[in-house]
Amino acid sequence: MDIAFASETLVSLLSALPLTLELAVTAIALGSVLALALALARLSGILVLDWFARAYVFVFRGTPLLVQIFLIYYGLSQFPAVRHSIFWPVLREPYWCAVLALMLNTAAYASEIIRGGLLSVPHGQVEAARACGMPPFMIFRRIVMPLATRQALPGYGNEMISMVKATSLASIITLMEITGVAARIISETYRVIEVFVVAGAIYLAINFFLTRLIAFVEHRLSPHQRQPMPIRGELKGETH
């Protein structure tokens, strides 16, 4: 293990860190919106929406992300209607093709996580809110979503971590994120171990920070699980 070469590799790979984070954040943010829509479609009771969401989840969970990236980047360009559409300036860019593939993929997994969280909300609390005169949207915003978010956050956190690692597949469509830069350095130096050890350490650091952030949010959303603060008299050892 050449420490000097590993240090130089670290500097080179860190220059690709912003693109990796941008891919992950954009895909997760857009995917969460689509996932919520799919989860609501599954729970809507409307047969057409329910079966559309089921088919979407089945297709994107049942096929590899690598295949989805290839189909979006190389496959869509084969259709003249796509090349002459208003979407072509976006779809011809590898960055947006990667974001689209990551977004569609994570939405399929996240929709099931969100649906499970929504189903875990006690029905009695919804009925109590209705009895208090809350309109449906307020019930969803103030009762259902906070409780569902608390239940779904651990599973959704795992999906976010998986999506950070999945950004490495964007290198196959010429994006120079961390893995893409690592592959270029390996092709120039033939030093595989040092490069991939450093690249793995960067991904590990990103996901460590993400797990701590998720744990902090989960702690903030679970006040009933925190230890009660001692009163002032107990802090001074006083008895009453």
Side-chain angles (χ1 to χ4, degrees):
M1 188 71 178
D2 189 338
I3 302 300
F5 176 75
S7 300
E8 295 176 2
T9 302
L10 177 62
V11 174
S12 299
L13 295 183
L14 286 178
S15 66
L17 180 59
L19 179 57
T20 297
L21 295 178
E22 188 177 348
L23 282 170
V25 171
T26 305
I28 291 171
L30 296 177
S32 64
V33 177
L34 180 57
L36 179 59
L38 291 170
L40 294 177
R42 286 289 307 273
L43 300 174
S44 65
I46 302 174
L47 190 60
V48 175
L49 295 179
D50 183 17
W51 280 103
F52 171 79
R54 287 175 183 268
Y56 179 95
V57 171
F58 174 76
V59 170
F60 281 92
R61 289 201 309 179
T63 55
L65 176 57
L66 183 62
V67 173
Q68 295 166 19
I69 293 175
F70 276 136
L71 286 176
I72 291 174
Y73 184 65
Y74 295 108
L76 292 180
S77 62
Q78 303 301 313
F79 298 97
V82 174
R83 294 198 302 269
H84 295 91
S85 69
I86 60 175
F87 303 106
W88 181 240
V90 174
L91 293 176
R92 69 183 179 185
E93 297 294 333
Y95 172 82
W96 289 112
C97 287
V99 168
L100 181 61
L102 294 171
M103 177 195 74
L104 295 176
N105 184 269
T106 189
Y109 290 91
S111 65
E112 291 297 287
I113 297 172
I114 295 174
R115 185 174 70 91
L118 293 172
L119 290 175
S120 69
V121 176
H123 188 67
Q125 297 197 22
V126 177
E127 290 297 325
R130 289 174 181 167
C132 293
M134 286 188 180
F137 180 74
M138 182 178 291
I139 293 175
F140 181 79
R141 181 173 59 88
R142 301 189 64 177
I143 305 297
V144 176
M145 275 306 295
L147 294 175
T149 301
R150 183 188 306 163
Q151 297 298 323
L153 187 59
Y156 195 69
N158 290 333
E159 174 58 24
M160 288 192 288
I161 292 172
S162 297
M163 192 50 47
V164 170
K165 294 184 291 185
T167 58
S168 61
L169 295 176
S171 61
I172 64 174
I173 55 174
T174 72
L175 285 181
M176 288 293 101
E177 42 73 60
I178 292 175
T179 304
V181 174
R184 187 197 67 197
I185 295 174
I186 290 173
S187 67
E188 295 172 352
T189 62
Y190 299 99
R191 305 178 74 165
V192 178
I193 295 179
E194 291 97 331
V195 176
F196 276 143
V197 165
V198 174
I202 294 176
Y203 282 112
L204 186 63
I206 296 172
N207 287 325
F208 175 79
F209 175 79
L210 184 57
T211 55
R212 294 299 88 200
L213 179 61
I214 294 169
F216 173 77
V217 175
E218 187 177 0
H219 177 74
R220 297 295 300 175
L221 293 176
S222 306
H224 60 286
Q225 296 180 358
R226 303 177 201 163
Q227 291 292 333
M229 294 293 293
I231 61 176
R232 184 175 301 177
E234 292 177 347
L235 289 174
K236 296 180 178 179
E238 298 175 0
T239 58
H240 299 282

